[in-house]
Amino acid sequence: GTVRMWNFSNGQCLKELRSDTDLEVSSVMFILEGQNKLIVAGGWNRKVLVWRDDTGSSAAAVEPERRMAGHNEDIISIAFSSPNLLATSGYDGKVLVWNMDSGVVKFTLAIPDLHKLDVDQRAIWQLAFLDRRSQALCGTGADGYLRFWNVKEGVLVWEQYANHGSDQSIVALSTDPTNSFLYTGDTAGCIKVWDIHLFVNVAGIDQSFNIIELHYWRAHDGCIASLDYIDRHDMVLSASADGRVKMWAIGADGGALAAVFGESSAWSITQPSTFRLVKNEASAPAPASAPAPAPAMASPPAAAGAVAAAPVDAVVGSSSGEMTAEGEAVVGTGPAGGTDPYTYSDDDAVSEELEDDDDDGDTSRYTRE
């Protein structure tokens, strides 16, 4: 139940951020918006905790600046979209979209026909905002589905079975700066690449030709723990329960292994001739029980070991083994506590409409999850 901030250069613990309980913290995010530097965490206490990252270190434990309640089950993923939208997903298949300025729940989103799913098939493991796709929100589920929500209207735009493999949950998610591609990872250790550059954040239209599977290969011997797109090198970084961290170059023929961290053999990501192409695998067919895609309206307002994605000078570490490297400070969670990673509306929360620039190639804006 503790979140700690570290100086990555010398290993000094800068701050200990106190939670309300000893329950596990399962997701942490660092948010830099204007002059505000915030650390947001969620976990098994079912509350979103917010700390302000003031300069300097402190020997005393720091209490949360805000506690936002609304979830009825464990929180397992957090995503942020500028200037003030926060999305949190739960083990119960529900997503809360918050106004960060007011702390008010804007929408409660849910998987369609949630009651028909087994309890362990309801979790939404990862969330990612697609700012270049009109601020669409993408979620990956324990039931093997990809889902896209319009958070301005509170509706499910599209869902489709991801064909990751029989009984495989999609537990990792990342995208490139232009939100033209999605990268998903599953519990079997496989990675899939999707072309979403034609995706339109509008409900009620057929998107089956707008979300196209490109490549699918076995990347690890264990469950994928995290995926991150490395903009500087146009590569995908993967970490797994098998204890390995790998770098992948994605080309027309699929994923090519560029590097394995910690291996004794030398490698260079600047020498493509040394990359090893991995054979694509056949996607699993959709189950017979897979429902036809159907938009779903948001619910009425409800009553009142992870890693932080930090900007510029930070590295994020997780008690569950996820890691994203950036630079100088570390925000981590502990202790692990388990192996299962297991509404009122506010008009002021509506963010500025973003244009859907499918083909202009503009990569000037990069919003990380």
Side-chain angles (χ1 to χ4, degrees):
T2 302
V3 178
R4 293 184 176 91
M5 177 175 284
W6 305 84
N7 184 319
F8 184 65
S9 299
N10 58 23
Q12 177 189 5
C13 182
L14 300 176
K15 296 178 184 178
E16 183 174 292
L17 309 178
R18 179 176 294 169
S19 177
D20 291 330
T21 67
D22 293 331
L23 298 174
E24 180 175 335
V25 178
S26 55
S27 187
V28 181
M29 170 165 279
F30 189 96
I31 296 174
L32 177 61
E33 180 61 29
Q35 299 299 313
N36 294 316
K37 296 179 180 180
L38 303 174
I39 299 165
V40 181
W44 292 6
N45 69 352
R46 305 174 184 180
K47 294 180 182 178
V48 179
L49 305 180
V50 182
W51 296 268
R52 190 168 298 277
D53 180 23
D54 298 321
T55 57
S57 59
S58 173
V62 181
E63 295 290 336
E65 183 180 88
R66 274 190 285 169
R67 298 170 175 85
M68 304 191 307
H71 278 278
N72 296 318
E73 261 295 351
D74 301 343
I75 299 171
I76 51 181
S77 183
I78 299 174
F80 176 76
S81 180
S82 179
N84 62 1
L85 285 185
L86 187 79
T88 54
S89 67
Y91 196 75
D92 57 357
K94 294 184 179 180
V95 176
L96 301 189
V97 180
W98 308 77
N99 180 334
M100 278 292 290
D101 296 335
S102 65
V104 169
V105 175
K106 186 172 182 286
F107 290 112
T108 296
L109 311 171
I111 295 175
D113 297 322
L114 191 58
H115 64 283
K116 296 181 180 180
L117 293 175
D118 293 338
V119 173
D120 60 357
Q121 292 293 300
R122 298 177 181 179
I124 299 176
W125 287 117
Q126 291 294 329
L127 294 173
F129 273 106
L130 308 176
D131 287 337
R132 305 307 291 269
R133 303 293 140 210
S134 299
Q135 217 170 13
L137 178 65
C138 180
T140 61
D143 60 351
Y145 274 76
L146 274 176
R147 293 182 173 91
F148 300 83
W149 286 277
N150 183 318
V151 296
K152 298 179 180 67
E153 300 176 2
V155 297
L156 179 68
V157 171
W158 184 256
E159 65 171 354
Q160 72 178 59
Y161 188 67
N163 300 314
H164 256 273
S166 178
D167 299 323
Q168 298 303 322
S169 299
I170 309 175
V171 292
L173 175 67
S174 187
T175 184
D176 68 306
T178 63
N179 302 144
S180 297
F181 300 95
L182 277 182
Y183 307 92
T184 54
D186 62 30
T187 47
C190 295
I191 294 174
K192 183 169 287 193
V193 182
W194 305 81
D195 182 345
I196 61 168
H197 83 279
L198 294 178
F199 172 78
V200 181
N201 193 21
V202 177
I205 64 174
D206 186 355
Q207 307 257 13
S208 56
F209 294 102
N210 298 344
I211 303 172
I212 306 299
E213 176 187 329
L214 296 180
H215 310 296
Y216 177 54
W217 72 94
R218 178 168 297 280
H220 290 272
D221 294 328
C223 174
I224 302 293
S226 67
L227 291 175
D228 197 16
Y229 187 87
I230 309 301
D231 186 23
R232 180 183 302 178
H233 301 290
D234 292 325
M235 292 185 177
V236 173
L237 186 70
S238 64
S240 168
D242 65 9
R244 293 188 172 187
V245 178
K246 299 181 179 181
M247 190 86 84
W248 302 90
I250 314 298
D253 297 323
L257 182 61
V260 181
F261 289 79
E263 294 287 300
S264 58
S265 57
W267 47 263
S268 174
I269 58 176
T270 62
Q271 298 179 6
S273 60
T274 65
F275 299 172
R276 180 170 59 85
L277 186 67
V278 178
K279 181 182 178 181
N280 277 317
E281 300 211 357
S283 292
S289 59
M297 297 300 294
S299 304
V307 179
V312 190
D313 290 330
V315 168
V316 176
S318 158
S319 60
S320 60
E322 301 181 14
M323 181 162 287
T324 302
E326 296 276 354
E328 180 91 327
V330 176
V331 179
T333 70
T339 57
D340 188 355
Y342 301 171
T343 25
Y344 182 95
S345 177
D346 182 4
D347 292 335
D348 293 336
V350 179
S351 300
E352 179 183 358
E353 182 77 20
L354 298 176
E355 294 299 322
D356 182 3
D357 52 349
D358 293 335
D359 302 308
D360 64 3
D362 181 10
T363 60
S364 59
R365 177 169 179 176
Y366 182 16
T367 299
R368 295 195 51 197
E369 175 186 346

